[in-house]
């Protein structure tokens, strides 16, 4: 049985198999504590259950973070990135035209601006 609380710093150095093994151990211990609680265990079991739940969350967080880091490396050279790896931003920003697209000008518009530029008017000062 494990001691309950898990230090997150120690988890980052472990590989995936060790993390899965530790996760299994924590879950079995949690299951045992829950059955003891139902059977009429002491109040100290409640705090231990809390610690175990948080430890399971820490292990899962490290596993998911490592997995996402590997996916980012895999998709670095690809054309498209999965939606969950793209920057979140706001919906309006995501829908906005790219800088390249917003600076594009149609051929007809270019010709019109060259041949019919904005007129400059001189205003006579009234004294």
């Amino acid at each position: 049985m494990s001691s309950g609380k898990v230090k997150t710093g120690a988890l980052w150095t472990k590989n995936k198999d060790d993390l899965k093994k530790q996760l299994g151990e924590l879950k079995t211990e949690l299951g045992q504590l829950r059955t003891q609680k139902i059977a009429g265990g002491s109040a100290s079991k409640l705090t231990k259950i809390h610690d175990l739940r948080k430890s399971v969350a820490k292990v899962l967080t490290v596993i998911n973070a490592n997995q996402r880091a590997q996916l980012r490396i895999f998709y670095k050279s690809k054309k498209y990135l999965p939606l969950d790896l793209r920057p979140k931003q706001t919906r309006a920003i995501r829908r906005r035209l790219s800088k390249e697209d917003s600076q594009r000008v149609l051929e007809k518009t270019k010709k019109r601006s060259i041949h019919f530029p904005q007129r400059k008017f001189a205003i006579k000062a009234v004294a």
Side-chain angles (χ1 to χ4, degrees):
M1 294 286 167
S2 63
S3 62
K5 279 195 178 182
V6 174
K7 299 277 190 235
T8 314
L11 294 176
W12 290 107
T13 56
K14 292 186 177 184
N15 63 359
K16 189 177 178 183
D17 295 329
D18 292 342
L19 288 170
K20 292 271 187 188
K21 186 178 167 192
Q22 187 170 6
L23 183 65
E25 289 172 2
L26 287 168
K27 283 187 174 182
T28 53
E29 189 176 350
L30 184 61
Q32 289 171 354
L33 280 174
R34 282 187 173 145
T35 54
Q36 287 175 7
K37 178 186 154 194
I38 291 167
S42 64
S44 64
K45 301 271 188 266
L46 291 172
T47 56
K48 188 122 180 175
I49 287 173
H50 177 268
D51 292 344
L52 277 172
R53 286 179 60 239
K54 298 305 169 190
S55 297
V56 167
K58 285 177 187 175
V59 172
L60 283 172
T61 301
V62 170
I63 289 172
N64 289 332
N66 288 338
Q67 190 175 19
R68 285 176 68 83
Q70 290 298 319
L71 283 170
R72 282 191 192 284
I73 292 167
F74 176 75
Y75 282 106
K76 196 167 189 78
S77 60
K78 304 279 192 271
K79 185 176 180 183
Y80 296 111
L81 201 61
L83 292 176
D84 61 332
L85 295 180
R86 292 179 195 173
K88 180 76 169 103
Q89 299 173 324
T90 62
R91 191 166 186 265
I93 291 173
R94 291 195 307 266
R95 303 280 186 283
R96 200 161 49 191
L97 285 174
S98 66
K99 277 196 172 174
E100 184 182 297
D101 286 342
S102 61
Q103 289 172 349
R104 283 189 180 149
V105 182
L106 289 171
E107 199 64 36
K108 188 174 182 178
T109 314
K110 280 184 202 170
K111 286 180 183 175
R112 188 186 302 137
S113 64
I114 290 168
H115 295 299
F116 303 102
Q118 182 76 42
R119 290 184 176 172
K120 297 182 185 102
F121 296 98
I123 300 171
K124 185 178 175 184
V126 180

